[in-house]
Short mmCIF file of all heavy atoms in Angstrom, two decimals:
data_model
loop_
_atom_site.label_atom_id
_atom_site.label_comp_id
_atom_site.label_asym_id
_atom_site.label_seq_id
_atom_site.Cartn_x
_atom_site.Cartn_y
_atom_site.Cartn_z
N TRP A 78 12.98 -5.26 1.65
CA TRP A 78 12.14 -6.29 1.05
C TRP A 78 12.22 -7.65 1.74
O TRP A 78 11.21 -8.32 1.96
CB TRP A 78 12.56 -6.52 -0.40
CG TRP A 78 12.10 -5.50 -1.33
CD1 TRP A 78 12.88 -4.76 -2.19
CD2 TRP A 78 10.75 -4.99 -1.48
NE1 TRP A 78 12.09 -3.88 -2.87
CE2 TRP A 78 10.81 -4.00 -2.44
CE3 TRP A 78 9.54 -5.29 -0.90
CZ2 TRP A 78 9.67 -3.32 -2.86
CZ3 TRP A 78 8.42 -4.62 -1.28
CH2 TRP A 78 8.51 -3.63 -2.24
N ASN A 82 9.24 -9.80 3.33
CA ASN A 82 8.79 -11.09 2.82
C ASN A 82 8.73 -12.14 3.93
O ASN A 82 7.89 -13.04 3.90
CB ASN A 82 9.68 -11.55 1.66
CG ASN A 82 9.11 -11.16 0.32
OD1 ASN A 82 7.89 -11.25 0.11
ND2 ASN A 82 9.95 -10.73 -0.58
N PHE A 85 5.41 -11.77 5.48
CA PHE A 85 4.32 -12.33 4.64
C PHE A 85 4.31 -13.84 4.76
O PHE A 85 3.29 -14.50 4.90
CB PHE A 85 4.46 -11.91 3.19
CG PHE A 85 4.27 -10.45 2.96
CD1 PHE A 85 5.07 -9.74 2.06
CD2 PHE A 85 3.28 -9.73 3.63
CE1 PHE A 85 4.89 -8.39 1.83
CE2 PHE A 85 3.06 -8.37 3.40
CZ PHE A 85 3.89 -7.70 2.51
N ASP A 86 5.53 -14.45 4.68
CA ASP A 86 5.63 -15.90 4.76
C ASP A 86 5.03 -16.40 6.08
O ASP A 86 4.30 -17.37 6.15
CB ASP A 86 7.07 -16.36 4.65
CG ASP A 86 7.65 -16.14 3.25
OD1 ASP A 86 6.87 -15.95 2.31
OD2 ASP A 86 8.88 -16.13 3.09
N LEU A 89 1.24 -16.16 6.26
CA LEU A 89 0.58 -17.21 5.49
C LEU A 89 0.71 -18.56 6.19
O LEU A 89 -0.25 -19.31 6.31
CB LEU A 89 1.20 -17.32 4.08
CG LEU A 89 0.69 -16.30 3.10
CD1 LEU A 89 1.62 -16.12 1.91
CD2 LEU A 89 -0.69 -16.68 2.60
N ARG A 92 -1.69 -18.96 8.81
CA ARG A 92 -3.07 -18.87 8.32
C ARG A 92 -3.77 -17.57 8.75
O ARG A 92 -4.92 -17.59 9.18
CB ARG A 92 -3.90 -20.07 8.81
CG ARG A 92 -3.40 -21.41 8.29
CD ARG A 92 -3.73 -21.54 6.80
NE ARG A 92 -2.96 -22.63 6.21
CZ ARG A 92 -3.50 -23.71 5.63
NH1 ARG A 92 -4.79 -23.83 5.61
NH2 ARG A 92 -2.74 -24.62 5.08
N GLU A 94 -5.68 -14.23 8.32
CA GLU A 94 -6.68 -13.81 7.32
C GLU A 94 -6.63 -12.27 7.20
O GLU A 94 -5.95 -11.61 7.97
CB GLU A 94 -8.06 -14.27 7.77
CG GLU A 94 -8.09 -15.78 8.00
CD GLU A 94 -9.33 -16.27 8.77
OE1 GLU A 94 -10.16 -15.38 9.12
OE2 GLU A 94 -9.43 -17.46 9.01
N ARG A 95 -7.42 -11.72 6.29
CA ARG A 95 -7.40 -10.27 6.17
C ARG A 95 -8.11 -9.60 7.32
O ARG A 95 -7.98 -8.41 7.48
CB ARG A 95 -7.92 -9.82 4.81
CG ARG A 95 -9.37 -10.10 4.55
CD ARG A 95 -9.74 -9.61 3.14
NE ARG A 95 -11.11 -10.03 2.84
CZ ARG A 95 -11.65 -9.97 1.64
NH1 ARG A 95 -10.97 -9.51 0.61
NH2 ARG A 95 -12.90 -10.34 1.43
N PHE A 113 3.74 -1.49 7.15
CA PHE A 113 3.68 -1.65 5.70
C PHE A 113 3.24 -3.07 5.34
O PHE A 113 2.46 -3.27 4.37
CB PHE A 113 5.06 -1.35 5.09
CG PHE A 113 5.08 -1.30 3.58
CD1 PHE A 113 4.05 -0.66 2.88
CD2 PHE A 113 6.10 -1.89 2.86
CE1 PHE A 113 4.06 -0.65 1.46
CE2 PHE A 113 6.12 -1.87 1.47
CZ PHE A 113 5.10 -1.24 0.76
N ALA A 116 -0.41 -3.11 5.68
CA ALA A 116 -1.04 -2.38 4.59
C ALA A 116 -1.18 -3.23 3.33
O ALA A 116 -2.13 -3.08 2.58
CB ALA A 116 -0.25 -1.11 4.28
N CYS A 117 -0.21 -4.16 3.12
CA CYS A 117 -0.15 -4.90 1.86
C CYS A 117 -0.75 -6.31 1.95
O CYS A 117 -1.17 -6.88 0.91
CB CYS A 117 1.28 -5.06 1.38
SG CYS A 117 2.12 -3.51 1.08
N GLN A 119 -2.93 -9.21 1.87
CA GLN A 119 -4.30 -9.36 1.39
C GLN A 119 -4.95 -8.02 1.18
O GLN A 119 -6.16 -7.84 1.40
CB GLN A 119 -5.11 -10.25 2.41
CG GLN A 119 -4.45 -11.63 2.54
CD GLN A 119 -5.45 -12.72 2.96
OE1 GLN A 119 -6.65 -12.48 3.00
NE2 GLN A 119 -4.97 -13.91 3.20
N ARG A 120 -4.17 -7.05 0.74
CA ARG A 120 -4.57 -5.64 0.49
C ARG A 120 -5.01 -4.90 1.74
O ARG A 120 -5.76 -3.93 1.64
CB ARG A 120 -5.69 -5.57 -0.56
CG ARG A 120 -5.28 -6.12 -1.93
CD ARG A 120 -6.24 -5.69 -3.03
NE ARG A 120 -5.90 -6.30 -4.27
CZ ARG A 120 -6.47 -7.44 -4.76
NH1 ARG A 120 -7.39 -8.01 -4.06
NH2 ARG A 120 -6.07 -7.92 -5.91
N LYS A 142 2.32 6.63 8.83
CA LYS A 142 3.36 6.49 7.83
C LYS A 142 4.06 5.16 8.02
O LYS A 142 4.58 4.86 9.12
CB LYS A 142 4.41 7.63 7.96
CG LYS A 142 4.01 8.90 7.21
CD LYS A 142 5.22 9.81 7.08
CE LYS A 142 4.87 11.09 6.37
NZ LYS A 142 6.04 11.99 6.25
N THR A 143 4.04 4.33 6.99
CA THR A 143 4.75 3.02 7.05
C THR A 143 5.67 3.00 5.83
O THR A 143 5.40 3.63 4.82
CB THR A 143 3.75 1.86 6.95
OG1 THR A 143 3.24 1.77 5.62
CG2 THR A 143 2.58 2.04 7.94
N ALA A 144 6.76 2.24 5.92
CA ALA A 144 7.68 2.18 4.80
C ALA A 144 8.80 1.21 5.04
O ALA A 144 9.07 0.76 6.18
CB ALA A 144 8.29 3.57 4.55
N HIS A 147 14.89 1.94 0.46
CA HIS A 147 15.47 1.50 -0.79
C HIS A 147 16.95 1.90 -0.72
O HIS A 147 17.27 2.88 -0.07
CB HIS A 147 14.77 2.23 -1.96
CG HIS A 147 15.23 1.81 -3.33
ND1 HIS A 147 16.40 2.25 -3.90
CD2 HIS A 147 14.68 0.95 -4.22
CE1 HIS A 147 16.52 1.71 -5.10
NE2 HIS A 147 15.51 0.90 -5.32
N MET A 153 11.52 5.01 1.04
CA MET A 153 11.12 5.27 -0.33
C MET A 153 9.88 4.49 -0.75
O MET A 153 9.11 4.94 -1.63
CB MET A 153 12.32 5.00 -1.25
CG MET A 153 12.32 5.67 -2.59
SD MET A 153 11.90 7.42 -2.59
CE MET A 153 13.40 8.23 -2.04
N ILE A 154 9.69 3.31 -0.16
CA ILE A 154 8.59 2.42 -0.55
C ILE A 154 7.67 2.23 0.64
O ILE A 154 8.13 1.69 1.68
CB ILE A 154 9.12 1.07 -1.01
CG1 ILE A 154 10.28 1.21 -2.01
CG2 ILE A 154 8.03 0.17 -1.56
CD1 ILE A 154 9.93 1.96 -3.25
N GLY A 155 6.42 2.64 0.55
CA GLY A 155 5.59 2.52 1.75
C GLY A 155 4.15 2.88 1.48
O GLY A 155 3.67 2.92 0.32
N ALA A 156 3.40 3.17 2.53
CA ALA A 156 2.00 3.47 2.40
C ALA A 156 1.59 4.36 3.58
O ALA A 156 2.20 4.33 4.64
CB ALA A 156 1.16 2.18 2.44
N GLU A 236 0.10 14.34 3.90
CA GLU A 236 1.20 15.30 3.64
C GLU A 236 1.07 16.07 2.35
O GLU A 236 1.97 16.08 1.49
CB GLU A 236 2.55 14.51 3.68
CG GLU A 236 3.73 15.46 3.88
CD GLU A 236 5.04 14.72 4.20
OE1 GLU A 236 5.03 13.91 5.14
OE2 GLU A 236 6.03 14.97 3.55
N ALA A 319 18.69 14.78 -3.47
CA ALA A 319 17.92 14.91 -4.72
C ALA A 319 16.83 13.84 -4.79
O ALA A 319 15.88 14.00 -5.56
CB ALA A 319 18.82 14.81 -5.93
N TYR A 320 16.94 12.76 -4.01
CA TYR A 320 15.90 11.72 -4.03
C TYR A 320 14.85 11.92 -2.94
O TYR A 320 13.99 11.07 -2.72
CB TYR A 320 16.56 10.34 -3.78
CG TYR A 320 17.39 9.86 -4.97
CD1 TYR A 320 18.74 9.86 -4.91
CD2 TYR A 320 16.76 9.46 -6.13
CE1 TYR A 320 19.51 9.43 -6.00
CE2 TYR A 320 17.51 9.03 -7.24
CZ TYR A 320 18.89 9.01 -7.13
OH TYR A 320 19.64 8.61 -8.23
N LYS A 322 11.59 12.82 -0.89
CA LYS A 322 10.19 12.78 -1.29
C LYS A 322 9.54 14.13 -1.42
O LYS A 322 8.47 14.25 -2.01
CB LYS A 322 9.40 11.90 -0.30
CG LYS A 322 9.76 10.40 -0.37
CD LYS A 322 8.80 9.53 0.39
CE LYS A 322 8.98 9.65 1.91
NZ LYS A 322 10.30 9.27 2.40
N VAL A 324 10.91 16.60 -3.04
CA VAL A 324 11.31 17.20 -4.32
C VAL A 324 10.07 17.41 -5.19
O VAL A 324 9.23 16.50 -5.30
CB VAL A 324 12.37 16.33 -5.06
CG1 VAL A 324 12.53 16.81 -6.48
CG2 VAL A 324 13.70 16.36 -4.30
N GLU A 325 9.95 18.59 -5.76
CA GLU A 325 8.80 18.83 -6.68
C GLU A 325 9.29 19.59 -7.89
O GLU A 325 9.98 20.63 -7.76
CB GLU A 325 7.71 19.63 -5.93
CG GLU A 325 6.36 19.48 -6.62
CD GLU A 325 5.23 20.07 -5.76
OE1 GLU A 325 4.80 19.39 -4.81
OE2 GLU A 325 4.83 21.19 -6.04
N ALA A 326 8.95 19.07 -9.06
CA ALA A 326 9.43 19.64 -10.32
C ALA A 326 10.93 19.82 -10.29
O ALA A 326 11.48 20.85 -10.70
CB ALA A 326 8.72 20.99 -10.60
N GLY A 327 11.63 18.80 -9.77
CA GLY A 327 13.07 18.77 -9.79
C GLY A 327 13.71 19.68 -8.74
O GLY A 327 14.94 19.80 -8.66
N TRP B 78 7.80 -9.79 -6.50
CA TRP B 78 8.71 -8.80 -5.92
C TRP B 78 9.78 -8.30 -6.85
O TRP B 78 10.04 -7.10 -6.89
CB TRP B 78 9.44 -9.42 -4.73
CG TRP B 78 8.63 -9.54 -3.51
CD1 TRP B 78 8.43 -10.65 -2.78
CD2 TRP B 78 7.88 -8.50 -2.86
NE1 TRP B 78 7.61 -10.40 -1.71
CE2 TRP B 78 7.26 -9.06 -1.76
CE3 TRP B 78 7.68 -7.13 -3.13
CZ2 TRP B 78 6.42 -8.34 -0.93
CZ3 TRP B 78 6.87 -6.42 -2.31
CH2 TRP B 78 6.26 -7.03 -1.22
N ASN B 82 10.48 -4.46 -7.91
CA ASN B 82 11.70 -3.75 -7.61
C ASN B 82 12.33 -3.11 -8.82
O ASN B 82 12.93 -2.04 -8.74
CB ASN B 82 12.70 -4.65 -6.87
CG ASN B 82 12.59 -4.54 -5.40
OD1 ASN B 82 12.38 -3.47 -4.85
ND2 ASN B 82 12.67 -5.64 -4.68
N PHE B 85 10.63 0.13 -9.19
CA PHE B 85 11.10 1.15 -8.24
C PHE B 85 12.46 1.69 -8.68
O PHE B 85 12.75 2.86 -8.64
CB PHE B 85 11.19 0.57 -6.84
CG PHE B 85 9.87 0.20 -6.25
CD1 PHE B 85 9.72 -0.94 -5.50
CD2 PHE B 85 8.77 1.02 -6.42
CE1 PHE B 85 8.48 -1.30 -4.92
CE2 PHE B 85 7.53 0.71 -5.87
CZ PHE B 85 7.39 -0.46 -5.13
N ASP B 86 13.35 0.77 -9.07
CA ASP B 86 14.71 1.16 -9.50
C ASP B 86 14.60 2.17 -10.68
O ASP B 86 15.27 3.18 -10.70
CB ASP B 86 15.55 -0.04 -9.90
CG ASP B 86 15.88 -0.91 -8.72
OD1 ASP B 86 15.79 -0.43 -7.58
OD2 ASP B 86 16.29 -2.10 -8.93
N LEU B 89 13.32 5.60 -9.63
CA LEU B 89 14.35 6.37 -8.96
C LEU B 89 15.39 6.88 -9.99
O LEU B 89 15.81 8.03 -9.95
CB LEU B 89 15.04 5.54 -7.87
CG LEU B 89 14.22 5.47 -6.56
CD1 LEU B 89 14.67 4.32 -5.70
CD2 LEU B 89 14.36 6.79 -5.79
N ARG B 92 14.38 9.79 -11.75
CA ARG B 92 14.08 10.92 -10.87
C ARG B 92 12.56 11.21 -10.83
O ARG B 92 12.13 12.36 -10.89
CB ARG B 92 14.81 12.18 -11.34
CG ARG B 92 16.32 12.07 -11.29
CD ARG B 92 16.77 12.07 -9.86
NE ARG B 92 18.14 11.59 -9.73
CZ ARG B 92 19.18 12.34 -9.28
NH1 ARG B 92 18.98 13.58 -8.93
NH2 ARG B 92 20.36 11.83 -9.16
N GLU B 94 9.12 11.76 -9.09
CA GLU B 94 8.73 12.30 -7.80
C GLU B 94 7.39 11.73 -7.40
O GLU B 94 6.74 11.04 -8.18
CB GLU B 94 8.67 13.83 -7.93
CG GLU B 94 9.99 14.39 -8.43
CD GLU B 94 9.86 15.85 -8.88
OE1 GLU B 94 8.74 16.43 -8.77
OE2 GLU B 94 10.88 16.38 -9.35
N ARG B 95 6.93 12.09 -6.21
CA ARG B 95 5.64 11.54 -5.79
C ARG B 95 4.49 12.22 -6.52
O ARG B 95 3.36 11.76 -6.46
CB ARG B 95 5.49 11.59 -4.27
CG ARG B 95 5.43 12.95 -3.68
CD ARG B 95 5.30 12.87 -2.13
NE ARG B 95 5.41 14.17 -1.53
CZ ARG B 95 5.58 14.38 -0.25
NH1 ARG B 95 5.68 13.42 0.60
NH2 ARG B 95 5.65 15.63 0.23
N PHE B 113 0.28 -1.41 -8.11
CA PHE B 113 0.83 -1.64 -6.76
C PHE B 113 2.12 -0.82 -6.58
O PHE B 113 2.35 -0.23 -5.51
CB PHE B 113 1.08 -3.12 -6.53
CG PHE B 113 1.49 -3.45 -5.12
CD1 PHE B 113 0.83 -2.89 -4.01
CD2 PHE B 113 2.52 -4.34 -4.87
CE1 PHE B 113 1.22 -3.21 -2.71
CE2 PHE B 113 2.91 -4.67 -3.56
CZ PHE B 113 2.26 -4.09 -2.49
N ALA B 116 1.11 2.63 -5.87
CA ALA B 116 0.57 2.74 -4.49
C ALA B 116 1.68 2.87 -3.46
O ALA B 116 1.50 3.53 -2.44
CB ALA B 116 -0.30 1.52 -4.18
N CYS B 117 2.83 2.26 -3.73
CA CYS B 117 3.91 2.18 -2.75
C CYS B 117 5.01 3.19 -2.96
O CYS B 117 5.73 3.56 -1.99
CB CYS B 117 4.58 0.83 -2.77
SG CYS B 117 3.44 -0.51 -2.40
N GLN B 119 7.11 6.17 -2.85
CA GLN B 119 7.02 7.39 -2.05
C GLN B 119 5.67 7.48 -1.36
O GLN B 119 5.15 8.55 -1.16
CB GLN B 119 7.34 8.62 -2.90
CG GLN B 119 8.72 8.53 -3.54
CD GLN B 119 9.36 9.89 -3.86
OE1 GLN B 119 8.80 10.92 -3.51
NE2 GLN B 119 10.48 9.89 -4.50
N ARG B 120 5.12 6.35 -0.99
CA ARG B 120 3.80 6.21 -0.34
C ARG B 120 2.61 6.64 -1.20
O ARG B 120 1.56 6.94 -0.71
CB ARG B 120 3.79 6.97 0.98
CG ARG B 120 4.76 6.51 2.03
CD ARG B 120 4.43 7.01 3.41
NE ARG B 120 5.46 6.62 4.37
CZ ARG B 120 6.47 7.40 4.70
NH1 ARG B 120 6.61 8.62 4.19
NH2 ARG B 120 7.37 6.99 5.58
N LYS B 142 -8.06 -2.46 -7.52
CA LYS B 142 -7.35 -3.60 -6.93
C LYS B 142 -6.01 -3.72 -7.59
O LYS B 142 -5.92 -3.90 -8.82
CB LYS B 142 -8.17 -4.89 -7.14
CG LYS B 142 -9.22 -5.10 -6.07
CD LYS B 142 -9.66 -6.57 -6.06
CE LYS B 142 -10.76 -6.82 -5.05
NZ LYS B 142 -11.24 -8.19 -5.07
N THR B 143 -4.95 -3.66 -6.82
CA THR B 143 -3.60 -3.85 -7.33
C THR B 143 -2.95 -4.94 -6.49
O THR B 143 -3.31 -5.15 -5.34
CB THR B 143 -2.77 -2.58 -7.25
OG1 THR B 143 -2.42 -2.35 -5.84
CG2 THR B 143 -3.51 -1.36 -7.76
N ALA B 144 -2.00 -5.67 -7.08
CA ALA B 144 -1.36 -6.76 -6.29
C ALA B 144 -0.23 -7.41 -7.06
O ALA B 144 -0.09 -7.28 -8.27
CB ALA B 144 -2.41 -7.81 -5.93
N HIS B 147 2.07 -14.22 -4.40
CA HIS B 147 2.98 -14.89 -3.49
C HIS B 147 3.00 -16.36 -3.91
O HIS B 147 1.98 -16.85 -4.40
CB HIS B 147 2.47 -14.72 -2.06
CG HIS B 147 3.39 -15.29 -1.03
ND1 HIS B 147 3.46 -16.63 -0.72
CD2 HIS B 147 4.27 -14.68 -0.18
CE1 HIS B 147 4.36 -16.82 0.24
NE2 HIS B 147 4.86 -15.65 0.59
N MET B 153 -1.82 -12.01 -3.29
CA MET B 153 -1.81 -12.04 -1.83
C MET B 153 -1.27 -10.73 -1.24
O MET B 153 -1.63 -10.36 -0.12
CB MET B 153 -0.94 -13.25 -1.41
CG MET B 153 -1.17 -13.79 -0.04
SD MET B 153 -2.89 -13.95 0.48
CE MET B 153 -3.37 -15.50 -0.26
N ILE B 154 -0.41 -10.04 -1.99
CA ILE B 154 0.22 -8.82 -1.49
C ILE B 154 -0.18 -7.67 -2.43
O ILE B 154 0.11 -7.68 -3.61
CB ILE B 154 1.75 -8.95 -1.54
CG1 ILE B 154 2.23 -10.27 -0.91
CG2 ILE B 154 2.44 -7.77 -0.88
CD1 ILE B 154 1.83 -10.49 0.52
N GLY B 155 -0.87 -6.66 -1.86
CA GLY B 155 -1.31 -5.58 -2.73
C GLY B 155 -1.98 -4.46 -1.99
O GLY B 155 -1.79 -4.30 -0.78
N ALA B 156 -2.71 -3.66 -2.73
CA ALA B 156 -3.34 -2.48 -2.11
C ALA B 156 -4.61 -2.14 -2.91
O ALA B 156 -4.74 -2.47 -4.07
CB ALA B 156 -2.39 -1.29 -2.16
N GLU B 236 -14.24 -4.06 -0.60
CA GLU B 236 -14.77 -5.42 -0.52
C GLU B 236 -15.14 -5.83 0.89
O GLU B 236 -14.67 -6.84 1.43
CB GLU B 236 -13.72 -6.40 -1.10
CG GLU B 236 -14.31 -7.76 -1.42
CD GLU B 236 -13.40 -8.63 -2.28
OE1 GLU B 236 -12.92 -8.14 -3.31
OE2 GLU B 236 -13.19 -9.77 -1.91
N ALA B 319 -7.55 -22.82 0.93
CA ALA B 319 -7.53 -22.40 2.34
C ALA B 319 -6.83 -21.08 2.50
O ALA B 319 -6.96 -20.42 3.52
CB ALA B 319 -6.84 -23.48 3.17
N TYR B 320 -6.00 -20.64 1.50
CA TYR B 320 -5.34 -19.37 1.58
C TYR B 320 -6.13 -18.22 0.95
O TYR B 320 -5.67 -17.14 0.80
CB TYR B 320 -3.96 -19.45 0.89
CG TYR B 320 -2.98 -20.30 1.65
CD1 TYR B 320 -2.61 -21.56 1.17
CD2 TYR B 320 -2.40 -19.84 2.83
CE1 TYR B 320 -1.72 -22.35 1.86
CE2 TYR B 320 -1.48 -20.62 3.52
CZ TYR B 320 -1.16 -21.86 3.02
OH TYR B 320 -0.25 -22.62 3.71
N LYS B 322 -8.43 -15.09 0.13
CA LYS B 322 -8.61 -13.87 0.92
C LYS B 322 -10.00 -13.77 1.55
O LYS B 322 -10.24 -12.95 2.40
CB LYS B 322 -8.33 -12.63 0.04
CG LYS B 322 -6.85 -12.48 -0.31
CD LYS B 322 -6.54 -11.19 -0.94
CE LYS B 322 -7.05 -11.07 -2.37
NZ LYS B 322 -6.49 -12.07 -3.29
N VAL B 324 -11.43 -16.20 3.16
CA VAL B 324 -11.53 -17.05 4.36
C VAL B 324 -11.75 -16.16 5.59
O VAL B 324 -11.12 -15.13 5.76
CB VAL B 324 -10.20 -17.85 4.56
CG1 VAL B 324 -10.20 -18.51 5.97
CG2 VAL B 324 -10.09 -18.95 3.50
N GLU B 325 -12.72 -16.53 6.41
CA GLU B 325 -12.97 -15.75 7.66
C GLU B 325 -13.20 -16.73 8.79
O GLU B 325 -13.99 -17.66 8.70
CB GLU B 325 -14.23 -14.86 7.44
CG GLU B 325 -14.23 -13.72 8.43
CD GLU B 325 -15.31 -12.69 8.10
OE1 GLU B 325 -15.09 -11.87 7.18
OE2 GLU B 325 -16.35 -12.69 8.75
N ALA B 326 -12.48 -16.48 9.88
CA ALA B 326 -12.49 -17.36 11.04
C ALA B 326 -12.26 -18.83 10.61
O ALA B 326 -12.94 -19.76 11.04
CB ALA B 326 -13.83 -17.23 11.79
N GLY B 327 -11.28 -19.01 9.73
CA GLY B 327 -10.87 -20.34 9.29
C GLY B 327 -11.84 -21.01 8.32
O GLY B 327 -11.63 -22.14 7.91
#
Side-chain angles (χ1 to χ4, degrees):
Chain A
W78 283 128
N82 266 320
F85 294 139
D86 291 343
L89 279 161
R92 297 288 165 119
E94 304 165 1
R95 65 182 174 192
F113 187 44
C117 300
Q119 302 206 6
R120 297 197 186 95
K142 275 196 181 179
T143 72
H147 184 280
M153 201 45 79
I154 311 301
E236 197 168 309
Y320 290 106
K322 291 191 286 300
V324 168
E325 201 170 281
Chain B
W78 284 127
N82 266 320
F85 294 140
D86 291 343
L89 279 162
R92 298 289 163 115
E94 304 166 2
R95 64 182 174 193
F113 187 44
C117 299
Q119 303 206 5
R120 298 197 185 94
K142 275 198 183 178
T143 72
H147 184 281
M153 201 44 81
I154 312 299
E236 197 167 309
Y320 290 106
K322 290 191 288 299
V324 168
E325 201 170 283

